[in-house]
Amino acid sequence: MKLSAVFSSILAISAVSATDYSVPVTNDVGLVYTNMLCGTTPCSQTNLYGQPSYTAFMGNRDYRRILMSFSLADANIDPSSVSSCSLQFPQTADSVTWAVSPVAGYDAKMVTPATAPMMSNGIAQATGTGNVDITGACQNAVNGVVSVMVDAYGGPVTIPAGASMLMVDA
């Protein structure tokens, strides 16, 4: 009787403990924005899809952002079961501050700075570590997809394409 009680306890603990998931980036793309005008239109609005790496930085007239998407659905994660979720970048300098904002879905091959989803107020920031808590964005994933726009302040940061991960507890 004691042995069955022990097994029942182990099963109960297993059923309520969270599972850790590593969710790879599904799509990422770098976008180049400029405030310089050629006539009435920006001189350069570039999609850098398919490059080996992407850079995020804020300049005086030009800046770059990175769009990233992650599929919780492909990892069989129900967004309503997410208890924590963080976006992990490769290690960066301590002087860099990441700003991450959830955005609507996008087509990585076709999006341009002019057609990119609008950033909301940044939902999360982190300095140096490249670990940004985006639990709210994961819990509100539309069709199981988390899409974010990434900025970096304090210097340009280059990330290899596909190198970012979501670390999810669900």
Side-chain angles (χ1 to χ4, degrees):
M1 176 100 88
K2 286 186 178 184
L3 190 55
S4 66
V6 170
F7 283 125
S8 294
S9 296
I10 291 171
L11 289 174
I13 291 169
S14 298
V16 296
S17 65
T19 302
D20 296 329
Y21 297 91
S22 297
V23 180
V25 66
T26 307
N27 281 307
D28 53 4
V29 60
L31 298 175
V32 179
Y33 296 77
T34 182
N35 291 326
M36 293 179 61
L37 295 179
C38 294
T40 58
T41 60
C43 297
S44 172
Q45 290 198 346
T46 308
N47 173 318
L48 300 175
Y49 177 78
Q51 298 297 310
S53 61
Y54 301 112
T55 300
F57 78 92
M58 295 294 294
N60 290 332
R61 290 186 295 181
D62 304 319
Y63 58 98
R64 293 181 181 212
R65 290 181 171 154
I66 304 170
L67 278 170
M68 297 180 181
S69 289
F70 303 85
S71 178
L72 299 179
D74 287 352
N76 295 316
I77 302 169
D78 178 355
S80 67
S81 71
V82 172
S83 58
S84 70
C85 183
S86 64
L87 178 55
Q88 289 192 330
F89 303 109
Q91 184 66 31
T92 62
D94 288 340
S95 61
V96 172
T97 298
W98 298 98
V100 178
S101 178
V103 295
Y106 62 92
D107 178 342
K109 293 179 184 175
M110 301 301 292
V111 68
T112 68
T115 63
M118 296 297 294
M119 290 180 74
S120 61
N121 292 331
I123 58 159
Q125 284 190 200
T127 302
T129 64
N131 246 351
V132 182
D133 181 357
I134 61 168
T135 301
C138 292
Q139 291 169 335
N140 294 305
V142 176
N143 296 323
V145 176
V146 179
S147 296
V148 294
M149 179 85 77
V150 178
D151 276 334
Y153 304 94
V157 176
T158 300
I159 301 171
S164 299
M165 298 284 282
L166 277 185
M167 303 308 291
V168 180
D169 288 333

